[in-house]
């Protein structure tokens, strides 16, 4: 039997897609990478995933695992050779169990993030991972890239929210590691090896995740901020004033939100006059475990002191749930506004918070000196040092002309990130977008260790080849 015939016999012909039916699986979310697939397999259980992996090993067919296909670095897109099998995990979408006494939820990799949040809420708990794509991204993809989002400041990345994993190894064995333990010092932490590995070492099929008490009250505010330096000082003041109750702190260049309200007229900035033209905005959220009144009192006290100190020029505090959602919708619409404006050279970087203001100032200047007139679209999670630092065309410059300069733009921005003690990938992963950038900035010993791990766990090299690290 041929490989495809064996695959169809294994999964059923309806769960093996070929030809034009594979198109939506071979184009990345940004429309930047278009690959070709031998087929798309849609297994419905961990045992079926393991059987597909064993079959691929026998035939030496490369595997590209895929969840919601919302990745931003081409990590879930096959190359153009047409030899790889895309392994879609969308049918593995069950919530296997919730343990409210242990504050854990066990879910399969194909579960949509929003569905996990809702399942936790229905059980009276909070699953805090939150990102703009939560209505379509899957837990498996979140784990594969160690996704961050808007609440990392308080709850950590996906890695910090994970207690145990179920993984199909590169030789088709199943590691049953779904332990809901917060302490387990019995050797190497295999969980951390697979989280963030982007399917290059094995396939995550399920996870046991941490749950938290639902907050009693939330307070959200948008502030007009004069500068990045003021934003950093405002963050320090908020941390001192709110402590662990500070859930989110986003910083956005003024042109980001101004573009949102210009392109999406149904959205509004809660300011007028000079405040609406502020060069920077900060979005803060406080989650309180006591009462709405207590949260509001703390919020107004800290924000009032910040305005008196000149760290903010204006503040709009949400009065209800609808206003809170509207403020977050402004922030989450920035990537959509960017897409409307055209392609940009995008960067997902992290820096020590103390170095962010100098990074923005010096990197902006370096880019203007080299490419006069290019635009700067800067926003991100200041609370955890993660910036989305994007470069848009100069007036009259064609998109293609800017994208042709991407290697040079990358060089300037990533060199600056490295000089400021940062990382060239914060929460989007490496994928194929940055696989050749990594050797320029990784410590040689660290990179060599990564390659050894890859060769040890995937000796045949069939697991998502060409992503993260080249062997």
């Amino acid at each position: 039997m041929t490989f495809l015939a064996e695959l169809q016999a294994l999964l059923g012909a309806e769960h093996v897609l070929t030809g034009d039916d594979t198109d939506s699986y071979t184009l990345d979310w940004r429309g930047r990478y278009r690959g070709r697939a031998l087929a798309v397999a849609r297994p419905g259980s961990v045992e079926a995933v393991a059987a597909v992996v064993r079959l691929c090993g026998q035939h030496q067919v490369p595997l590209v695992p895929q969840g919601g296909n919302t990745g931003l670095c081409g990590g879930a897109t096959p190359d153009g050779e047409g030899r790889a099998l895309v392994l879609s995990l969308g049918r593995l979408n069950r919530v296997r169990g919730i343990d409210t006494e242990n504050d854990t939820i066990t879910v399969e990799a194909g579960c949509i993030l929003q569905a996990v949040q809702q399942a936790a809420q229905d059980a009276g708990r909070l699953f805090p991972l939150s990102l703009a794509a939560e209505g379509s991204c899957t837990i498996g993809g979140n784990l594969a890239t160690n996704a961050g989002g808007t609440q990392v400041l308080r709850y950590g990345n996906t890695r910090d929210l994970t207690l145990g994993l179920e993984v199909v190894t590169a030789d088709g064995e199943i590691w049953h590691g779904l332990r809901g333990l917060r302490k387990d010092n019995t050797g190497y932490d295999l969980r951390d090896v697979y989280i963030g590995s982007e399917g290059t070492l094995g396939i995550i099929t399920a996870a046991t995740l941490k749950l938290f008490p639902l907050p009693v009250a939330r307070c959200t505010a948008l502030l007009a901020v004069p500068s990045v330096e003021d934003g950093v000082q405002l963050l320090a003041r908020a941390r001192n004033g709110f402590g662990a109750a500070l859930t989110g702190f986003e910083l956005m260049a003024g042109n980001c939100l101004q573009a949102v309200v210009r392109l999406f007229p149904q959205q509004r900035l809660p300011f007028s006059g000079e405040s609406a033209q502020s060069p920077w905005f900060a979005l803060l959220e406080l989650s309180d475990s006591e009462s709405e009144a207590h949260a509001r009192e703390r919020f107004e006290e800290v924000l009032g002191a910040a305005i008196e100190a000149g760290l903010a020029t204006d503040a709009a505090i949400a009065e209800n749930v609808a206003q809170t959602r509207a403020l977050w919708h402004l922030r989450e619409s920035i990537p959509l506004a960017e897409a409307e404006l055209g392609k940009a050279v995008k960067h997902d970087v992290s820096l020590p918070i103390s170095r962010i203001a100098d990074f923005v100032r010096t990197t902006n200047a370096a880019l203007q000196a080299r490419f006069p007139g290019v635009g700067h679209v800067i926003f991100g999670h200041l609370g955890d040092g993660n910036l989305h630092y994007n470069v848009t065309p100069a007036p009259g410059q064609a998109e293609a002309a800017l994208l042709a300069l991407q290697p040079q733009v990358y060089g300037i921005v990533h060199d600056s990130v490295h000089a400021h003690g940062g990382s060239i990938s914060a929460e989007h992963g490496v994928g194929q977008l940055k696989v050749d950038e990594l050797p320029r900035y990784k410590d040689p010993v660290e990179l060599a260790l990564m390659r050894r791990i890859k060769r040890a766990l995937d000796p045949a090299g069939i697991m998502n080849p060409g992503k993260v690290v080249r062997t």
Side-chain angles (χ1 to χ4, degrees), residues 306-427:
I307 291 175
E308 287 182 11
L311 302 180
T313 57
D314 207 346
I317 301 177
E319 298 290 341
N320 50 49
V321 172
Q323 290 184 8
T324 292
R325 288 176 178 164
L327 291 180
W328 277 107
H329 192 38
L330 283 167
R331 159 64 181 88
E332 291 162 355
S333 296
I334 294 173
L336 300 176
E338 267 198 296
E340 289 284 326
L341 292 170
K343 295 190 184 300
V345 179
K346 299 178 183 291
H347 307 85
D348 162 50
V349 301
S350 64
L351 298 130
I353 295 169
S354 57
R355 308 290 299 277
I356 284 178
D358 186 62
F359 165 79
V360 170
R361 182 174 54 254
T362 57
T363 310
N364 284 4
L367 285 169
Q368 289 301 324
R370 185 76 173 275
F371 309 113
V374 294
H376 307 283
V377 178
I378 306 168
F379 61 98
H381 321 300
L382 185 66
D384 56 54
N386 178 192
L387 285 186
H388 303 302
Y389 183 98
N390 302 333
V391 180
T392 56
Q397 184 181 33
E399 287 180 8
L402 175 69
L403 294 179
L405 300 173
Q406 177 171 289
Q408 298 171 61
V409 174
Y410 268 9
I412 291 172
V413 175
H414 289 163
D415 284 353
S416 183
V417 168
H418 189 65
H420 285 86
S423 167
I424 66 169
S425 180
E427 63 178 1

Side-chain angles (χ1 to χ4, degrees), residues 40-62:
V40 175
R42 301 176 62 248
S45 68
V46 61
E47 291 79 13
V49 173
V52 170
V53 173
R54 289 194 296 270
L55 184 64
C56 286
Q58 292 164 15
H59 290 267
Q60 286 298 287
V61 172

Side-chain angles (χ1 to χ4, degrees), residues 238-263:
R239 276 181 158 156
N240 288 335
F242 303 139
L246 183 62
T247 304
F249 194 110
E250 303 286 301
L251 184 71
M252 301 153 283
N255 65 336
C256 296
L257 294 191
Q258 289 144 14
V260 168
V261 298
R262 184 174 71 253
L263 292 167

Side-chain angles (χ1 to χ4, degrees), residues 442-457:
K442 273 285 188 187
D443 177 88
V445 173
E446 187 176 7
L447 196 61
L449 289 170
M450 288 173 60
R451 287 175 174 144
R452 287 183 203 171
I453 291 170
K454 170 69 172 172
R455 287 193 293 265
L457 296 184

Side-chain angles (χ1 to χ4, degrees), residues 64-307:
V64 179
Q66 189 176 105
N69 199 19
T70 61
L72 300 176
C73 293
T77 307
D79 63 23
E81 294 184 6
R83 293 181 54 247
L85 178 74
V86 173
L87 184 69
S88 172
L89 297 169
R91 293 180 61 215
L92 275 72
N93 57 9
R94 293 183 304 126
V95 175
R96 293 189 185 173
I98 299 177
D99 185 343
T100 54
E101 292 183 344
N102 195 44
D103 277 332
T104 55
I105 182 170
T106 298
V107 300
E108 293 181 338
C111 282
I112 300 295
L113 172 55
Q114 199 168 66
V116 178
Q117 295 168 343
Q118 188 61 53
Q121 186 170 326
D122 291 345
R125 296 293 187 271
L126 171 72
F127 181 63
L129 183 65
S130 180
L131 27 139
E134 61 193 29
S136 50
C137 67
T138 63
I139 286 296
N142 301 148
L143 289 159
T145 59
N146 188 30
T150 58
Q151 301 195 77
V152 172
L153 176 60
R154 179 168 183 178
Y155 297 104
N157 293 300
T158 309
R159 183 188 307 278
D160 303 298
L161 298 172
T162 306
L163 295 174
L165 294 179
E166 177 185 84
V167 176
V168 174
T169 68
D171 55 7
E173 294 182 330
I174 301 172
W175 170 42
H176 299 282
L178 293 173
R179 294 182 289 271
L181 301 176
R182 287 162 176 82
K183 290 184 176 180
D184 181 8
N185 291 316
T186 52
Y188 306 127
D189 196 335
L190 299 179
R191 173 199 62 179
D192 281 351
V193 171
Y194 287 105
I195 295 175
S197 66
E198 301 186 45
T200 61
L201 304 177
I203 299 170
I204 297 171
T205 53
T208 298
L209 307 167
K210 297 178 186 177
L211 299 179
F212 297 85
L214 285 167
V216 174
R218 293 169 63 193
C219 286
T220 309
L222 185 69
L223 286 77
V225 179
S227 68
V228 180
E229 289 85 354
D230 291 321
V232 171
Q233 291 185 47
L234 177 62
L235 171 62
R237 188 176 287 259
R239 276 181 158 156
N240 288 335
F242 303 139
L246 183 62
T247 304
F249 194 110
E250 303 286 301
L251 184 71
M252 301 153 283
N255 65 336
C256 296
L257 294 191
Q258 289 144 14
V260 168
V261 298
R262 184 174 71 253
L263 292 167
F264 309 121
Q266 70 275 22
Q267 297 196 55
R268 296 281 187 274
L269 279 172
F271 302 118
S272 59
E274 291 185 6
S275 295
Q277 300 303 313
S278 177
W280 295 90
F281 293 97
L283 181 61
L284 285 73
E285 185 159 282
L286 164 71
S287 296
D288 195 277
S289 58
E290 293 189 30
S291 68
E292 192 77 43
H294 180 260
R296 184 79 180 198
E297 181 181 353
R298 292 176 70 193
F299 210 52
E300 292 179 351
E301 179 183 345
V302 172
L303 297 190
I307 291 175

